[in-house]
Amino acid sequence: MTISTTAAAIALLICASAIYNAYRLRGGKLAWSEILIALGMLSFTLSLILDLFLPDPRLIQSVKLTDFFFIFGFILLFIASLKLRFSLR
């Protein structure tokens, strides 16, 4: 295990913990934005980790799964920012 793999695993655990805490300890609109932010960070981390375990990208001609998770992370962060904006009105 390299240092970057260990850091990514720790980041995954932190994201999972943040999702669980937002679900259990808080309620309402702000908790949903926190959960979406944590899921976005989880998606970014998965896009970094999957590069280590997937086969050679030259073998796959379509869009890579890591690219999908990276774009999905941005979409989740965008939705979270909109939810946060409309919940504070």
Side-chain angles (χ1 to χ4, degrees):
M1 267 185 114
T2 63
I3 293 174
S4 60
T5 308
T6 305
I10 291 171
L12 280 173
L13 291 174
I14 290 171
C15 289
S17 173
I19 292 170
Y20 179 73
N21 287 338
Y23 172 74
R24 291 290 290 166
L25 300 176
R26 300 181 70 197
K29 297 175 184 176
L30 290 176
W32 273 109
S33 65
E34 187 176 336
I35 288 173
L36 288 172
I37 289 171
L39 285 174
M41 294 299 292
L42 185 69
S43 180
F44 285 140
T45 307
L46 280 176
S47 73
L48 294 174
I49 289 176
L50 286 178
D51 266 343
L52 300 173
F53 299 111
L54 288 179
D56 190 8
R58 290 175 285 182
L59 299 176
I60 303 171
Q61 298 298 324
S62 63
V63 175
K64 293 192 313 183
L65 190 61
T66 57
D67 294 338
F68 169 76
F69 278 118
F70 192 74
I71 293 169
F72 188 63
F74 275 116
I75 291 171
L76 285 174
L77 287 177
F78 176 70
I79 293 171
S81 67
L82 287 178
K83 262 200 161 323
L84 186 63
R85 180 179 183 266
F86 289 122
S87 68
L88 294 176
R89 275 187 164 192

